[in-house]
Amino acid sequence: MSKKSAWTITFKRISKNKGALIGMFVVVTIVTVALTAPLIAPYDPYKQDLLSSLEGPSLKHPFGTDIFGRDVLSRVIYGARTSVSISFLAVIVAIFLGMTAGTVAGYFGGVVDEILMRFLDILMAFPDILLAIAIVAALGPGKSNLIIAIAIYSFPQFARVMRASVLTVKNNEYIEAARAVGESNMAIIIRYVVPNAMAPIIVQATLRMATAILTISGLSFLGLGVKPPEAEWGTDLAMARVYLEIAPHLGIFPGVALFLTVMGFNLFGDGLNDALNPRLKDR
Amino acid sequence: MSTHPIVCGVLWVIKFISRRLLLLIPVIIGVSIISFSIMHLIPGDPARIIAGEGATKEDVEAIRDKYGLNKPLVEQYFRFMKGIVTNDLRSIKTERPILKEISPRFLNTVQLAMVSILISSMIGISLGIVSAVRRNTWVDSFAMFFSLIGVSMPIFWLGILLIIIFAVTLGWLPSGGKGGIEHIILPAITLGLATSAIIARMTRASMLEILNQDYVRTAKAFGLSKRKIVYKYVLRNALIPIITVIGLQFGYLLGGAVLTESVFGWPGLGRYVVDSIFNRDYIAVQVGIMVIAISFVLVNLCVDILYALVDPRLRRG
């Protein structure tokens, strides 16, 4: 099967799956909003206007204004930029770490495998958010530390996927053949092992984007993530928590954006999983 | 072998449990090492962090001495573990033994997680049954839509929404704190929504699998009522995976309660850890994180053991 036809088949299957289509639509929309935030935001998200503080939704400010009179719609739009960029970087780092660890463990086996996998087991003994909190507690809040924290708790998943895929491929005859003609370990891994693991890794990455975005906003809500005044949904919701009695609208819009984004990635990930799963091919 | 099968079974169970307990030891040691070292592997000086920004050199030195931060890391680790066992390890902020600080908060978290798992099991199992029995109807679509919302809902935002609706607008329930039974309702629902969604999905999937079995078809052919088939045969057999998921989720709730506790001001362990981060009480952070992670591991172990006890098929392996 050529590469092109594999993509076509995947796309066809996704287009038949309503949930996956909606998910894809939401993901594309959010990413577009994130990329074009400066162009589409009606106001500067950091510009204060204390005279119009805590206004409800109006024509001028569709999502209202916050305590400093900043436009909530613009902050929600810029919040997409913050969440998508941090989670994307974190997932990329996690994929890289996970693929390296998984490949090393699976390909070389033995003691290396045993030690690495036990270490991952211990890491996975910590609930996700707790490990992230612990890491951020040590490193301090901020964007790059968030990326490190999320990457560290996410990479064991990728390592497992990669290791499993290495183990399936490893004993095939074509690997033996490749070795017989003198291909190096590195070449064998890149040419035969990595492509085989791509499908589950893409699925896992999409689902991990959802978890990452939830973690970013959760930690920021606790004051351990993105620092104010930077526009971020969790940070803005933490501030909204204080003014709920007088300005409930502040608690709605950043949350809706966050919820839709997470749902989009979840739906799209589930859809990809169905589409890329070879066991479901004939259905 | 001539041994009686029951003896064999009991021996197997003892062997299985002791093996799992043995495997647990390195995991717990590993967890304690990670919890300990997280606060030490940071770039920067823990003594200075504890002392705060305006501290003089002498203050920092005094703290370094007091907490043994000038000793080698390995020695510090053993001191830390010994301090926990002998109850000598004290919170930096309150100077009280750390386990005394932690245990009431841990119990609060357990209480919240228990109420939460109870509510979400009731919601999740009933939704799952209904959607499996009425597969592909609007009821099923509704239940699955609910579960999609449940897994995608940011927990702290759900808490805020519930506060807006039930505390601010309707005034039915308090928006936070700990007190009577009315204080636990909103946090328990908030914490358990995602769990009820996961339980609903699992119940549906495992019911559907059993509904396709031959013996269910036979029961139908014998003319048994649908009600009887569902409750007597299908649900009973579907329960094992459902109970497993409930157990695993319980462990997850213990660790995941941090955000819920913060939104509702629930005095649990998760919130204590977060507060301690801001108080620079790194001993409280280390021990708090360790206690949560170890209880998470222990709950998972109990689930594993229960699972093996109720499912005799696993014993063959």
Side-chain angles (χ1 to χ4, degrees):
Chain A
M1 194 190 297
S2 78
K3 226 178 191 173
K4 203 173 171 191
S5 74
W7 283 112
T8 326
I9 290 173
T10 307
F11 189 75
K12 244 187 203 155
R13 282 208 212 127
I14 288 178
S15 58
K16 271 190 216 146
N17 180 341
K18 231 190 265 164
L21 266 185
I22 298 174
M24 194 164 78
F25 175 74
V26 175
V27 168
V28 170
T29 311
I30 292 293
V31 172
T32 313
V33 167
L35 289 173
T36 59
L39 301 176
I40 56 175
Y43 296 89
D44 175 352
Y46 304 109
K47 185 152 187 294
Q48 303 192 358
D49 176 9
L50 296 176
L51 288 175
S52 49
S53 152
L54 293 181
E55 278 176 14
S58 64
L59 272 179
K60 205 172 153 216
H61 298 285
F63 290 1
T65 58
D66 69 5
I67 184 73
F68 300 115
R70 297 176 298 194
D71 180 51
V72 175
L73 173 61
S74 305
R75 288 190 68 80
V76 168
I77 290 173
Y78 270 85
R81 203 178 170 82
T82 313
S83 290
V84 170
S85 60
I86 297 178
S87 54
F88 184 74
L89 286 172
V91 170
I92 294 286
V93 176
I95 291 176
F96 180 76
L97 282 177
M99 283 178 83
T100 313
T103 310
V104 169
Y107 201 81
F108 299 105
V111 187
V112 182
D113 183 27
E114 194 64 29
I115 292 174
L116 259 174
M117 292 323 280
R118 290 297 81 77
F119 176 66
L120 296 188
D121 280 350
I122 292 167
L123 270 189
M124 295 221 275
F126 291 87
D128 286 1
I129 182 103
L130 192 74
L131 192 57
I133 286 177
I135 296 166
V136 171
L139 299 177
K143 273 196 208 174
S144 43
N145 294 343
L146 263 182
I147 294 174
I148 296 173
I150 295 170
I152 289 181
Y153 83 65
S154 306
F155 91 91
Q157 309 277 350
F158 292 106
R160 290 203 156 182
V161 170
M162 192 65 199
R163 177 176 173 271
S165 152
V166 172
L167 290 180
T168 1
V169 176
K170 198 170 142 187
N171 295 323
N172 275 317
E173 279 170 6
Y174 61 84
I175 299 289
E176 225 169 280
R179 218 176 257 144
V181 297
E183 289 206 52
S184 68
N185 278 340
M186 200 62 192
I188 291 176
I189 288 167
I190 290 173
R191 253 208 220 149
Y192 307 106
V193 178
V194 172
N196 192 58
M198 255 5 252
I201 282 183
I202 290 173
V203 172
Q204 196 53 241
T206 316
L207 294 172
R208 279 281 139 184
M209 280 292 285
T211 324
I213 289 173
L214 278 177
T215 308
I216 295 164
S217 57
L219 288 184
S220 302
F221 180 78
L222 294 173
L224 295 169
V226 177
K227 277 179 267 181
E230 172 124 32
E232 200 283 333
W233 299 327
T235 316
D236 284 4
L237 283 171
M239 202 162 58
R241 171 83 180 83
V242 184
Y243 304 107
L244 276 191
E245 314 257 333
I246 41 175
H249 70 272
L250 289 179
I252 306 285
F253 298 109
V256 172
L258 174 59
F259 167 64
L260 286 179
T261 308
V262 173
M263 193 176 73
F265 277 105
N266 274 335
L267 275 174
F268 188 45
D270 285 344
L272 274 177
N273 190 26
D274 294 345
L276 292 170
N277 193 339
R279 269 175 297 169
L280 302 172
K281 227 166 219 172
D282 301 325
R283 287 188 198 169
Chain B
M1 270 197 253
S2 61
T3 329
H4 192 274
I6 290 180
V7 178
C8 263
V10 170
L11 278 178
W12 178 87
V13 167
I14 292 171
K15 213 174 123 192
F16 176 81
I17 293 179
S18 42
R19 214 178 80 90
R20 294 311 306 257
L21 285 175
L22 235 90
L23 280 174
L24 190 68
I25 296 169
V27 174
I28 287 189
I29 294 175
V31 165
S32 73
I33 291 177
I34 289 184
S35 310
F36 167 79
S37 45
I38 277 170
M39 301 307 284
H40 287 276
L41 294 178
I42 40 174
D45 180 355
R48 176 144 297 161
I49 293 172
I50 298 165
E53 267 164 37
T56 61
K57 242 185 179 166
E58 288 73 34
D59 292 343
V60 176
E61 277 314 310
I63 283 175
R64 204 190 307 280
D65 252 18
K66 184 172 173 195
Y67 295 106
L69 292 168
N70 41 7
K71 304 252 163 57
L73 216 52
V74 179
E75 198 186 323
Q76 284 188 49
Y77 170 72
F78 283 110
R79 225 176 109 139
F80 169 78
M81 292 308 285
K82 198 181 144 209
I84 291 178
V85 177
T86 58
N87 219 4
D88 285 335
L89 196 67
R90 286 163 188 273
S91 149
I92 292 175
K93 190 176 174 237
T94 62
E95 306 258 325
R96 291 179 56 204
I98 191 66
L99 289 183
K100 266 216 176 94
E101 293 275 327
I102 280 183
S103 47
R105 287 163 171 117
F106 181 64
L107 288 180
N108 285 341
T109 298
V110 172
Q111 187 189 13
L112 178 61
M114 289 209 343
V115 176
S116 192
I117 201 80
L118 209 75
I119 295 177
S120 47
S121 304
M122 287 190 308
I123 298 175
I125 293 179
S126 13
L127 270 182
I129 292 177
V130 172
S131 65
V133 174
R134 304 210 179 167
R135 194 186 176 186
N136 296 333
T137 64
W138 67 269
V139 186
D140 185 21
S141 317
F142 171 78
M144 287 307 103
F145 184 64
F146 167 81
S147 89
L148 175 71
I149 290 181
V151 292
S152 306
M153 191 63 122
I155 209 165
F156 59 97
W157 187 53
L158 175 66
I160 289 177
L161 283 184
L162 292 179
I163 290 176
I164 293 181
I165 298 171
F166 292 102
V168 176
T169 312
L170 297 171
W172 290 353
L173 294 162
S175 69
K178 190 167 187 292
I181 197 164
E182 70 273 13
H183 284 87
I184 206 171
I185 298 175
L186 290 184
I189 292 174
T190 304
L191 181 59
L193 183 81
T195 298
S196 56
I198 291 164
I199 294 175
R201 279 188 181 186
M202 193 57 178
T203 307
R204 179 178 183 269
S206 102
M207 292 272 295
L208 285 179
E209 202 182 315
I210 309 279
L211 278 170
N212 282 331
Q213 300 278 334
D214 286 341
Y215 62 82
V216 173
R217 207 173 308 142
T218 312
K220 267 185 209 154
F222 270 91
L224 268 75
S225 73
K226 196 170 182 182
R227 211 188 163 75
K228 193 164 184 189
I229 295 175
V230 166
Y231 289 103
K232 188 156 183 204
Y233 297 101
V234 181
L235 188 57
R236 265 199 194 176
N237 284 297
L239 266 180
I240 293 176
I242 298 172
I243 290 173
T244 313
V245 159
I246 293 177
L248 294 176
Q249 282 294 313
F250 182 67
Y252 176 77
L253 290 184
L254 285 178
V258 186
L259 285 164
T260 312
E261 289 173 1
S262 290
V263 176
F264 291 98
W266 184 263
L269 187 50
R271 188 165 163 245
Y272 178 66
V273 169
V274 174
D275 288 345
S276 302
I277 292 174
F278 290 114
N279 291 331
R280 292 191 290 270
D281 188 344
Y282 80 103
I283 290 181
V285 176
Q286 287 171 324
V287 182
I289 284 174
M290 192 172 95
V291 168
I292 298 177
I294 288 179
S295 53
F296 184 66
V297 173
L298 287 179
V299 169
N300 288 356
L301 175 84
C302 292
V303 174
D304 266 9
I305 291 177
L306 266 182
Y307 189 75
L309 290 184
V310 293
D311 192 348
R313 277 170 299 183
L314 281 174
R315 290 179 203 174
R316 280 192 222 133

